[in-house]
Amino acid sequence: MVLALSVSGAVMVLVLLGLFVFGLRRRLIQRSGGTFDCSLRWNIPETETGGKGWIYGVARYNGDRIEWFRVFSYAPRPRRVLERSTIEVLERRTPQGEEELALLSDSIVLACRHRGTRLELAMSEDALTGFLAWLEAAPPGQRVNVA
């Protein structure tokens, strides 16, 4: 009986510690400001029509780059880094079919190309406005591809 209580207590402490570390990591990512909730689908085939492959994350502006972090990860470094000069916006659309369940309710999907890789970003209307403004605010001499 004592052993069972000790084991269940230890498991409970580990679960709480894991949740605390998730929260602390997100707080550290957001500490420098310029963050927004952003789901990502990476390397999508041109003929893809389904809503599978979305990964929930947090994106952070860092100079001329967007750093994208997975929400459910302990990694301190971004999973993807998108450089402003290499992002090409292809289209904007609302979530369709299964995507409506996989994404936040007010999300807008932005299809892009980054260094030849097709990807999609899903974010709120406010975050989209900020993202497009950031893209268009490129320093003189850099090309900007916003559809």
Side-chain angles (χ1 to χ4, degrees):
M1 182 69 163
V2 173
L3 179 62
L5 288 175
S6 298
V7 170
S8 58
V11 168
M12 184 66 102
V13 167
L14 289 175
V15 167
L16 291 174
L17 182 64
L19 292 173
F20 174 76
V21 171
F22 272 134
L24 179 64
R25 178 180 169 269
R26 178 148 180 163
R27 190 93 155 155
L28 291 173
I29 291 169
Q30 293 178 326
R31 182 177 61 184
S32 62
T35 61
F36 57 97
D37 291 331
C38 178
S39 295
L40 171 76
R41 283 196 331 162
W42 187 261
N43 203 12
I44 307 161
E46 294 290 332
T47 59
E48 173 69 33
T49 58
K52 296 181 180 174
W54 285 104
I55 304 169
Y56 186 62
V58 175
R60 175 175 69 189
Y61 297 106
N62 187 1
D64 285 338
R65 305 179 322 168
I66 292 277
E67 299 173 334
W68 184 84
F69 299 83
R70 291 179 73 135
V71 166
F72 300 109
S73 171
Y74 292 111
R77 295 181 184 224
R79 177 72 174 217
R80 301 282 181 202
V81 176
L82 307 175
E83 298 167 5
R84 178 176 13 207
S85 62
T86 60
I87 298 173
E88 178 184 355
V89 176
L90 304 173
E91 70 173 312
R92 177 190 324 191
R93 63 180 176 79
T94 57
Q96 302 166 354
E98 297 171 8
E99 291 178 326
E100 293 178 8
L101 301 173
L103 300 173
L104 296 175
S105 62
D106 64 342
S107 292
I108 304 293
V109 176
L110 197 63
C112 302
R113 189 175 315 282
H114 179 261
R115 297 185 183 269
T117 301
R118 191 166 183 275
L119 63 111
E120 290 182 336
L121 302 168
M123 60 191 84
S124 69
E125 187 73 43
D126 292 340
L128 177 64
T129 302
F131 179 78
L132 293 175
W134 175 79
L135 275 180
E136 292 173 357
Q142 284 188 358
R143 65 182 174 90
V144 176
N145 299 312
V146 177

